[in-house]
Amino acid sequence: MARVHKVLIVGGGIGGLSLASGLRNRGIEVDLVEVKQEWTVYGVGIILQCNAIRAMAQLGLVDRILDAGYAYEGMGHYTAEGEFQRMLPGERAAGPEYPPNLGISRIALHQVLSSTAAEKGTAIRLGVTVEKLAQDPEGVSVMFTDGTQGRYDLVVGADGLYSKVRSMVFGKELKPRFTGQAVFRHNFPRPPELDHLAVYYGHHHNSGLCPLSKDLMYMFVTSSEPGNPRVPEDQLAELMRDRLKEFGGLIGQLREQITDPKQVVYKPMEVIFVPESWYRGRVVLIGDAAHAMTPHISQGAGMAVEDAVVLSELLAEDAPVGALLSRFMQRRYERCKFIVESAIQIGEWEMQGASHADRSGVVKKMLEVIAQPI
Ligand SMILES: Cc1cc2nc3c(=O)[nH]c(=O)nc-3n(C[C@H](O)[C@H](O)[C@H](O)COP(=O)(O)OP(=O)(O)OC[C@H]3O[C@@H](n4cnc5c(N)ncnc54)[C@H](O)[C@@H]3O)c2cc1C
């Protein structure tokens, strides 16, 4: 019989919502608080690779996720001029019946994750977060920002890059670091030939197109942005076009259609890796709160969902919480560290314009690692 009966999840993003479903599948009571009053996510897309699809299958979410996105086989490499070079096929780690990759709009992913967590009986509160945490050997007493209180067997900080739970429990010294790069993104109607992830390698920037649905795809371009400048919102379209100026072919054609700054999503790349156990007593971090990476290998969400699978599986076991969290670390720490470091390495090579860099080698190794069971 499980010894963990009631869990508080702080943060209703990809990791927190996946965990809520995983815990409810095992009959564990779940409260989830999300700081945003209006629970919106930005409207571009995200790539879920084979390990994320497998994790969604383990959580019982895969059919709804697949219905909401666009399944594709592999990643095509192209020159900046749009000339095809080679195709890197994905792994079918989730089983032969599932695709190796899925592009999905973040809005569609959020709708599936939030509606499923709610249907399974998660008690979700919006516009609320933790004010105070006090733990003793038997549990954690929590005071919320709306003045209410609760008592839990475990508190999970799934509150992202700037995690409040992390700073409350691990101290304010652990802060995200800007890597020197940023990403611009924009949605477009999907042409029929764009039925895979297409990545275009330029001399200064890398761009890509990812299908999200029958009708939609998104474009991204990574760029060096020394000093993390404040980017005026009304200049986003102009800046994205500028970062794309070396590209021809399809990217060059689409570039000219980027005119509305409101349609451009800009994100500086920030990373953090908590370099020790991600738990203290009965408070544990998952997802970006513990290990936020750059998007170069499309694995941040994948790792967050894997955290959710492993933690929900362990918490159903009959063992002391400390022993379960220690096993959680054994299964997650090295794997996430490898993935975070691989993503950061690719970004550093991009910034150095390193022609010797073995980007494909890192991606191939990453694909081998993520296909292994967790
Ligand atoms: C440009 C870019 C592209 C990316 N592309 C990919 C990709 O293609 N594939 C991939 O796998 N990953 C990708 N990622 C990474 C992925 O988005 C993250 O790793 C993932 O969202 C992490 O999930 P999370 O639940 O830990 O955090 P989040 O999704 O950030 O969720 C955190 C939630 O906590 C809430 N919150 C914050 N503070 C509090 C608080 N104090 N109290 C309560 N709630 C709070 C937030 O509002 C949010 O809802 C990308 C990231 C970036 C920046």
Side-chain angles (χ1 to χ4, degrees), residues 11 13-15 34-36 46-47 106 129 159 185 288 298 300-302:
I14 296 168
E34 162 58 48
V35 73
K36 283 187 209 154
I46 191 161
I47 296 163
R106 284 182 179 260
T129 187
D159 49 348
R185 287 167 291 173
D288 276 9
S298 309

Side-chain angles (χ1 to χ4, degrees), residues 98-140:
Y98 295 118
N101 296 291
L102 185 83
I104 184 168
S105 114
R106 284 182 179 260
I107 295 171
L109 177 61
H110 176 74
Q111 274 164 357
V112 171
L113 293 178
S114 56
S115 59
T116 314
E119 280 161 25
K120 287 176 187 277
T122 307
I124 297 172
R125 286 193 291 161
L126 301 181
V128 180
T129 187
V130 287
E131 179 75 49
K132 253 191 197 162
L133 296 171
Q135 51 173 319
D136 55 64
E138 307 305 321
V140 192

Side-chain angles (χ1 to χ4, degrees), residues 123-322:
I124 297 172
R125 286 193 291 161
L126 301 181
V128 180
T129 187
V130 287
E131 179 75 49
K132 253 191 197 162
L133 296 171
Q135 51 173 319
D136 55 64
E138 307 305 321
V140 192
S141 297
V142 180
M143 189 181 285
F144 295 98
T145 45
D146 63 356
T148 57
Q149 294 181 22
R151 174 91 177 156
Y152 299 93
D153 298 313
L154 184 76
V155 172
V156 181
D159 49 348
L161 188 64
Y162 282 88
S163 167
K164 183 175 184 182
V165 175
R166 184 181 65 231
S167 55
M168 286 169 97
V169 176
F170 290 79
K172 292 192 182 352
E173 303 74 42
L174 280 172
K175 285 194 196 115
R177 170 178 76 81
F178 172 60
T179 65
Q181 285 187 297
V183 195
F184 292 79
R185 287 167 291 173
H186 192 293
N187 287 342
F188 288 100
R190 185 183 71 83
E193 68 275 18
L194 208 289
D195 58 0
H196 57 283
L197 171 64
V199 183
Y200 303 80
Y201 296 103
H203 298 295
H204 304 288
H205 308 291
N206 292 321
S207 184
L209 296 168
C210 178
L212 298 178
S213 71
K214 200 165 104 345
D215 307 316
L216 196 68
M217 66 178 181
Y218 81 103
M219 176 199 279
F220 61 84
V221 58
T222 60
S223 64
S224 291
E225 303 291 339
N228 198 7
R230 204 189 66 77
V231 175
E233 279 180 20
D234 61 351
Q235 290 174 22
L236 282 173
E238 200 182 311
L239 289 169
M240 185 166 181
R241 283 200 312 273
D242 174 76
R243 303 309 185 253
L244 289 166
K245 64 180 178 231
E246 65 179 304
F247 295 92
L250 182 55
I251 297 281
Q253 289 164 30
L254 293 167
R255 177 183 60 227
E256 301 313 314
Q257 297 170 31
I258 302 172
T259 52
D260 179 358
K262 291 198 179 64
Q263 300 304 315
V264 178
V265 179
Y266 177 79
K267 270 264 182 210
M269 293 189 200
E270 294 176 285
V271 296
I272 189 165
F273 187 79
V274 175
E276 53 189 296
S277 284
W278 305 334
Y279 68 95
R280 292 274 166 88
R282 290 173 175 268
V283 182
V284 62
L285 304 175
I286 66 165
D288 276 9
H291 48 71
M293 65 196 76
T294 63
H296 296 97
I297 53 174
S298 309
Q299 271 299 326
M303 289 297 119
V305 183
E306 283 191 2
D307 286 349
V309 167
V310 175
L311 192 57
S312 52
E313 199 180 298
L314 287 168
L315 292 181
E317 290 188 18
D318 179 9
V321 170

